[in-house]
Every structure is written in structure tokens, then in C-alpha cells.
Amino acid sequence: MRARADRLSLDDGGPPAPLRPAAGRPEYAVRFERRTEPRYIPVLFYLYLAVVVPFVIWRTTIVNWHVWFGPLSLAADLFAAMMFIIFLGFARYLYGPAHRPADISGGIVDCLVPTHTEPVSVIEPTVIAARRVRGIRNVLVLANFERPDVRAMAERLGVSYQARNSNEDGKAGNLNSGLIYTDADFILTLDADHMALPEFLERTLGYFDDPTVAFVQTPQSFYNTGSLLYRRAHGKAGEWSESNIFYRCVQPAKNGRNASFYVGTSAVLRRAALDDVGGFATGTVTEDIHTSLRLHAKGWRSVFVSEPLAFGLEAQSLREFYAQRRRWAVGSLTLLFRRADSPLRVRGLTAGQRLSYLESMMAHLGGVQRLIHFLLPAVVIFSLTSPVNIPIGLYGLAFVVYFVASFGMVAIYSRGTYHFLHSDAYSLANLVAQVSALTGLLRTERRFKSARKDAHHAERTVVKPILWILGLTSAAGVADGGYQIAAGNHSWLVIMATAWGTVNSVWMWWVLGYLEVYERRRDTTGLDGLAAPDRYRLIMERFGSGRAPAIADPPLTTGSQRPTTGSQRPTTTIALPLEEK
């Protein structure tokens, strides 16, 4: 890889110096180790191709072009097959970095905590935790607009507070404004609700001995496992999470192609790499994947460490789930189709990286495909017309083989994170957000709205009535099909459409039924009413590797003042002890 430039100071106009390993350390490059698994795991992929490729080719020759839903069903089938193949091709092998011990005194690390509208009760435990991460020099709480209560909290805890008086470029703009006030070699970013473990840097900083590493990402983990997105599995409450497959399977698979990406929190980034791409990427509402793309296109490397090292709050309501997933989808589709640095056009990516980004962004088009497949059985039953031009029984047999092979392979390759009921039920719940996000194809949305961490379980949202309408439509199709079968219509068309509609209905009512139960629960994270130090202590006792550090606030000590340029107002940053006793 070509050499990278050392970070310049803000007022340095000279040429960049070549990036080199730290003085006194031997040359080092991150080495990824493939997870040891049975030898048949990767072989299964080629057996799957032997089934699916002929099916896909054959599927393109049997379209009923005389009905409007014939071409739509073909498009949905082809899109689903493509996404299955790409996912399984990547997930054949999972990789993790060979452990690298960290010298936390070898580089200066500051922590940026961007905030927007989160209450102080959410932000304060995050700041307490950030101060107790061993190796952190300064903690900077960032705000878009002046918030006296947050400023008072920051002053009381002895950390820096910066309000930029603008919401331009959303979270990316907030983070970029924070970069002005730090000269650290590395930046730890934490969302306003994410409490980091004290050993965070000891588990991540060592990989930066490789001078080509831009960032080290850890899983975005959550402590409110009673939220909407956690379900019972393997006999344990809160065992299955909607995000498990991404952090336990997708990101480790991306490690093998230097394509794991930054998710906006719980990560350490090299300042020189950020400066090399002009800071956190703006222009979309998903600054995380956008920044990752720019870094990879410049030749930088990324590392995903599968150990959870920070814990935050997952979406508490269907409304927040929809808002969050829609933002991800809008940002990804905007980046894919409307930005000059789209993976479709940007130079510098390897073939594996380009395909990885395309798969991650195109996945947000999956809502359209799921909607077509969900409604198709009812349309077939009501119209008594087939989307294919061959005997439906023959097509049905081939489709069942394809269906079982595809979902069976996903179950195997997801390494236990896929659940036949939960995973597909929540993908149906997500389709409303993904279909709504198609506006990202037409216009660029730059308004950033942070997720509300104090949302009530039963907040009103238009998403719920839409899901009910879809569920009732599917149920009506199944009821009509059942009536026709009982009345003597034993055609394969009706039987197959009724069976397929029944599976869809089970998935939809699985999530709707749980939603009704969930919304009647008392709003609680299990930590409500606790003071910030007590909340922090409980999280450390639950997830930390040892006892929680003491909660005593250290005395305020004044660090060096950042040089300023132009209209930037000076600020006094706070030098915190590396470890508190």
C-alpha cells in the first residue's frame, strides 16, 4: 500500500510528511485469522450455486408477460437470488484480527461524544464511562446548539463542552467541529448513550501499530435487552437481536476483504486518516458508511474486533425503529445513486470492497422485494392468474427447492444469528422504512435526526396501521384461498398461493402480536430512576471484565489550549488522569 500522510496541524500549510510506524517499534501489519470451522462450510456454497444458478436462468424464461405482476415477481426473485448469493459468498469465511497487545501510552487519544437532543440523564453515564477508559486524555462533549444543562453537566464532570450553534451536516458536522479542538493522534467516538468499558483502548489501540489502519470498529451493543428488537431464543430472554447477524457474521466476513466499516460509535479512528479524507463525510445522513468508503478508496485499512466494548440503548419503540432504519436506508441509497463517491463510480476500491459496499447499500432495496413477495400470494388468489407461463405445480416444486436451499444456507452461514421466525418477521417490519426511503433516489436528504433514547413503548406511528393493513390483506388472501379449496377448487395455483400466503401471514402476525404485547409493558430499561454513577456502575458490573471503577470525580485540571484560526473561539480542554483510583 502506498504511504499515507501524517496529519497536519490546523495552521500548517506545508506538504504532508510520509506516514511511518511509531519510532522504536518494529514494522507491523494487522494479520487476520480465519475462524476454524468444519471444512464442508465453504463447500456448501458451491453446491448452493449448482442449485440456484440453473433456477435463476430458468426463471427468466417462464415469465407471464401478460399480467402486470409477472415481471414484478421476476424482478423480486432475481433480486433475492442475487442478494443471497453475494451474502453467502462473503460469509463462507469469517475473519478476526490476531490479537495485538496495546501500549496505551504510545499515542494521545481523545474521546468525542456528539449530542443532539438526548437528555442529560442519558449523556452523563456516557461521559462518566468515557473518563474512565484507560488511556483517554480528554473527553469532549459536542452539541449542535447551546444547552445549558449539558454544559453544566460537563463542567461538573470536568470535561470539555463545545456547542457549534448549527445543525449543518448533522452528526458529521458535529464531529468535524469537535476535531477543531483536539490534536490527539486517535479519536474514540461514542454516541451519547454508549458507555465504554475501561479496557476499550487496551483491546483496540494495538492494531494501530500498523500505520495503514484507519479505524478499529467494535460491535454496537446494547444493554436494554428488553427492547422491541430483542426476542427470546435458545431458551433465554433477550438472546436474539435483530442486529446480531451484522456484528457476528457480516462484519467479520468483511474483515477478509478489508471492507468492515465504521458504524458511527464504539470505534477508534486515526486522526491522520480522517484528515486525509477531509474529516467525517458529509452530504448524506449516514456519515459512518460514507466515511468508511472514502477511507477505503484512499487505500486505508479497517479492523473489526468482535468483542463488545461499549453498550448503549437500542430503539425502544416501533416509531424509533422506523426512523432509524429509514435514515440508514435513505443515506445508503443516496450515497449509492446520487453521490460522486458512490461505490458504483469511486476509484481506489478493490473488487471485493466494491462488491461489499454495493451489497450493504443494495440491501436497503430489499423492502421493495419483500413487499412484492408478501402481496403476491393474495394477488394470485384474488385474480386466479399465475405469474409464470408453465404449470404452476412444476414451478412450485422448483421454487420450494430454491426456498429451502436459500434459507437453509442462510441459517448455516449466519452461525446461529438467524432465526426463522424472528429474522423474517422483523425484515417485514423493516420494509415500510425501506420502501419509504426510496425518496433517497430522487433527492438528497441532509437533515439528521438522532434517535430518541427516552421513547415510550407505545408511541403513535403510521407504521403500525400500515403493517396491520398488510397483515389483513395477506390474511384475506389466505382466507379466500382456504374457502376456494373447501369449495372444491383444488388447483395447484390456489393451493400453492394459499400455502405461501400462510407463511407470510405467520411472519407478519408474529411481529404484530409481539408488538401488541410489548406496547402494553411498562416503559423501563431496568435502570430507570438511577443516578448516572449508579447506572454506570451497574452496566460495568454486568458487562465489564472486572469490578467497576470508583465513581469519585477527580479534580479539574487545565490542559493545553488549542490553537485557533479565524473565527474559532479558544477553548480550554481538560486533561484527565489516565486511571482513577
Side-chain angles (χ1 to χ4, degrees), residues 198 281 291 431 485 490:
T291 301
L431 72 80
I485 293 171
H490 297 157

Side-chain angles (χ1 to χ4, degrees), residues 24-266:
R25 294 182 180 177
E27 295 284 345
Y28 163 75
V30 173
R31 178 172 57 87
F32 290 100
E33 299 174 334
R34 197 169 78 191
R35 180 183 297 181
T36 303
E37 294 182 303
R39 293 184 179 180
Y40 68 81
I41 292 291
V43 175
L44 289 176
F45 174 68
Y46 299 101
L47 297 178
Y48 175 75
L49 290 180
V51 172
V52 173
V53 172
F55 171 80
V56 169
I57 296 173
W58 177 65
R59 180 67 179 86
T60 62
T61 67
I62 60 172
V63 186
N64 184 354
W65 297 100
H66 301 293
V67 294
W68 61 270
F69 53 87
L72 284 180
S73 66
L74 171 66
D77 285 349
L78 294 182
F79 181 85
M82 177 185 68
M83 298 305 291
F84 275 129
I85 290 172
I86 296 176
F87 166 74
L88 296 172
F90 278 126
R92 285 176 296 162
Y93 305 109
L94 303 186
Y95 297 86
H99 177 64
R100 177 71 172 180
D103 176 8
I104 58 176
S105 64
I108 299 173
V109 186
D110 284 348
C111 177
L112 301 185
V113 182
T115 69
H116 186 43
T117 59
E118 301 86 355
V120 170
S121 61
V122 168
I123 302 172
E124 186 171 349
T126 297
V127 175
I128 291 173
R131 295 181 60 191
R132 287 158 179 80
V133 173
R134 291 186 286 272
I136 288 290
R137 179 186 64 170
N138 294 338
V139 177
L140 293 86
V141 178
L142 310 175
N144 291 317
F145 298 97
E146 180 62 41
R147 298 180 62 190
D149 55 344
V150 178
R151 177 179 289 277
M153 178 272 297
E155 292 176 350
R156 173 165 48 82
L157 294 179
V159 301
S160 178
Y161 172 83
Q162 300 298 333
R164 63 184 179 127
N165 296 317
S166 170
N167 193 27
E168 184 179 1
D169 295 323
K171 181 179 175 182
N174 204 0
L175 287 167
N176 285 332
S177 72
L179 293 178
I180 296 173
Y181 300 102
T182 173
D183 59 357
D185 303 304
F186 304 101
I187 303 296
L188 168 62
T189 62
L190 294 172
D191 277 353
D193 60 304
H194 274 63
M195 287 178 263
L197 301 185
E199 61 267 27
F200 195 106
L201 296 181
E202 295 164 342
R203 299 286 200 273
T204 57
L205 207 57
Y207 301 110
F208 288 100
D209 290 348
D210 180 340
T212 66
V213 169
F215 63 88
V216 177
Q217 179 66 59
T218 69
Q220 188 174 9
S221 303
F222 305 96
Y223 61 82
N224 58 328
T225 54
S227 76
L228 177 64
L229 303 183
Y230 281 84
R231 297 295 294 272
R232 186 177 185 86
H234 310 300
K236 297 180 180 179
E239 180 68 14
W240 179 88
S241 169
E242 190 254 358
S243 62
N244 280 354
I245 193 170
F246 179 74
Y247 290 110
R248 298 183 188 178
C249 181
V250 174
Q251 284 277 61
K254 290 178 182 291
N255 264 341
R257 292 165 178 79
N258 186 31
S260 61
F261 58 79
Y262 172 58
V263 302
T265 185
S266 309

Side-chain angles (χ1 to χ4, degrees), residues 305-434:
V305 178
S306 58
E307 181 182 7
L309 293 170
F311 298 86
L313 286 167
E314 182 59 287
Q316 288 279 88
S317 68
L318 180 63
R319 180 177 178 177
E320 286 305 307
F321 170 75
Y322 166 80
Q324 184 183 66
R325 297 314 193 264
R326 185 183 183 278
R327 176 168 57 82
W328 295 352
V330 166
S332 294
L333 295 179
T334 300
L335 178 55
L336 180 60
F337 293 109
R338 297 184 59 84
R339 298 293 301 176
D341 47 1
S342 161
L344 292 170
R345 297 182 291 274
V346 69
R347 295 182 178 181
L349 297 177
T350 65
Q353 288 173 329
R354 195 177 304 277
L355 186 59
S356 175
Y357 277 104
L358 287 173
E359 187 270 340
S360 294
M361 295 176 189
M362 290 174 61
H364 295 287
L365 293 171
V368 178
Q369 171 253 316
R370 289 309 303 265
L371 182 62
I372 294 171
H373 277 161
F374 185 81
L375 293 177
L376 187 60
V379 172
V380 169
I381 292 170
F382 294 148
S383 66
L384 294 179
T385 307
S386 172
V388 297
N389 60 12
I390 63 170
I392 194 65
L394 177 60
Y395 170 72
L397 177 62
F399 184 83
V400 167
V401 172
Y402 159 71
F403 180 90
V404 172
S406 296
F407 282 90
M409 285 290 292
V410 169
I412 294 171
Y413 274 35
S414 64
R415 277 75 170 185
T417 61
Y418 172 81
H419 190 283
F420 180 74
L421 284 175
H422 299 333
S423 299
D424 287 279
Y426 277 81
S427 71
L428 286 177
N430 193 25
L431 72 80
V432 181
Q434 292 182 334

